[in-house]
């Protein structure tokens, strides 16, 4: 179900009525991605301390996609509902790829579809605070990259940035079948850049990059003295991870709730966004078969193409949103500095720095991302 983010409270509910304008229907389950007007009433009893008897109290809430909502409002989807609404697509006839599609009757017929591509360790539910808002005006797709989320995690598979980029292109060609705006975060952004550089506008119509990564891992060849200092340590970590018992012990430690929470707190500027739901979104897929192999392959594998080398070949419209409190790809790092300079070199690129935002802007401060993203989409694609 779609719900507005608000403080939670517990009440003894005796009646739940949900209506869609045609009368109340008791026990009706709201469609996950419906953007039609709907309303609900919670009727419960509370004890009147003065009269010493119970009385009925009704709380009503109405949501309407036809008006009244701010364009930057962040609607949040329930994680279980997202998972129940996902579908599977067979990539290359052998790998099951998990994806979600959400649309609204109110979306403009000429608006391009959007494809959301998550970052390292994440999955479709990481977009739970964005899908509902974006689906008001667009057909929204979200995908679990191979090795993440509910997609296959084949043992022995060698993960590469180029492989993920090809997965995206094949998904656009076989499933979406329309020129699409790619929206990616972190390594998902880089996969989108690679896909756009290898495609033409028949598949990719625009790019939105949220704190784009410089490579699949920290071994990306970039001119950063901090990474150069760590290079011996990075190669030593690679050596350790290639020893199965050691890799298993490290991975078990990494996927512990407290470890994940601490990692997330270090990359989110808005600490309130790091809740138990987010921790479980990251943790649950890590317990699946093949997750360890994916982790080792990604961390020890080749970093892949550098976005600095690829961006000049891309002529489609590009929006770059960058959280200024990102410790992974900081603005003063080589990738951040490059993207800061790009708008003065490439007229198709627009950069917006988001103050007080970390590495995952769409989840850290979703309302701020929507405030910048939605007008750019409407203006760029003329509807």
């Amino acid at each position: 179900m779609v719900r507005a983010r608000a403080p939670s409270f517990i009440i003894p509910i005796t009646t739940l009525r949900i209506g869609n304008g045609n009368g109340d229907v008791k026990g009706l389950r709201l469609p996950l991605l419906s953007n039609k007007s709907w309303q609900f009433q919670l009727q419960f009893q509370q004890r009147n301390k003065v009269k010493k008897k119970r009385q009925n109290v009704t709380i009503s809430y109405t949501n309407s996609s036809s008006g009244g909502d701010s364009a930057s409002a962040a609607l949040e989807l329930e994680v279980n509902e997202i998972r129940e609404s996902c579908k599977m697509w067979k990539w290359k006839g052998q790998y099951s790829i998990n994806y979600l599609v959400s649309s609204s009757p109110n979306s403009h017929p000429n608006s391009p579809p959007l494809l959301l591509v998550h970052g390292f360790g994440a999955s479709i539910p990481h977009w739970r605070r964005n899908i509902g808002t974006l689906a008001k005006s667009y057909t929204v797709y979200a995908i679990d990259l191979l090795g993440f989320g509910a997609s296959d995690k084949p043992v022995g598979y060698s993960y590469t940035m180029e492989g993920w980029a090809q997965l995206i292109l094949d998904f656009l060609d076989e499933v979406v079948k329309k020129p699409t705006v790619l929206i990616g975060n972190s390594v998902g952004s880089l996969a989108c850049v690679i896909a756009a550089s290898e495609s033409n506008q028949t598949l990719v119509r625009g790019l939105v990059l949220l704190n784009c990564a410089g490579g699949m891992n920290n071994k990306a060849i970039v001119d950063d003295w901090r990474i150069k200092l760590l290079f011996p340590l990075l190669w030593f970590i690679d050596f350790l991870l290639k020893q199965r018992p050691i890799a298993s012990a490290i991975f078990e430690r990494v996927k512990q709730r407290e470890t994940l929470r601490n990692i997330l707190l270090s990359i989110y500027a808005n600490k309130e966004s790091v809740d138990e739901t987010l921790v479980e979104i990251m943790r649950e897929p890590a317990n699946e078969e093949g997750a360890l192999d994916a982790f080792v392959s990604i961390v020890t594998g080749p970093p892949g193409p550098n976005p600095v080398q690829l961006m000049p070949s891309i002529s489609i419209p590009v929006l770059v949103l960058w959280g200024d409190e990102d410790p992974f790809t900081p603005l003063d790092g080589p990738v951040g500095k490059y993207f800061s300079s790009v708008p003065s070199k490439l007229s198709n690129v627009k950069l917006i720095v988001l103050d007080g935002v970390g590495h995952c802007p769409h989840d850290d401060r979703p309302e701020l991302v929507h405030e910048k993203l939605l007008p750019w989409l409407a203006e760029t694609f003329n509807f």
Side-chain angles (χ1 to χ4, degrees), residues 225-273:
W225 63 270
R226 290 164 292 196
I227 293 179
K228 289 181 178 179
L229 286 177
L230 291 174
F231 244 67
L233 176 60
L234 295 175
W235 287 114
F236 180 64
I237 291 173
D238 281 4
F239 169 76
L240 292 178
L241 287 175
K242 289 177 181 178
Q243 318 306 312
R244 187 76 179 189
I246 298 176
S248 180
I250 292 174
F251 189 58
E252 286 298 320
R253 177 65 178 172
V254 168
K255 69 180 184 179
Q256 294 302 310
R257 284 189 178 86
E258 283 307 310
T259 305
L260 286 174
R261 183 180 293 104
N262 290 333
I263 292 172
L264 292 165
L265 286 170
S266 73
I267 65 175
Y268 274 62
N270 179 16
K271 308 305 180 186
E272 292 181 359
S273 291

Side-chain angles (χ1 to χ4, degrees), residues 88 96-99 143-153 288:
M88 283 293 178
S96 293
I97 302 299
N98 187 53
Y99 76 95
I143 192 172
D144 282 344
L145 294 173
L146 190 72
F148 294 116
S151 289
D152 278 353
K153 303 167 184 65
E288 295 182 1

Side-chain angles (χ1 to χ4, degrees), residues 88-109:
M88 283 293 178
W89 164 65
K90 213 72 171 177
W91 183 43
K92 295 185 175 181
Q94 57 180 324
Y95 303 121
S96 293
I97 302 299
N98 187 53
Y99 76 95
L100 175 110
V101 57
S102 167
S103 61
S104 164
N106 299 323
S107 62
H108 195 283

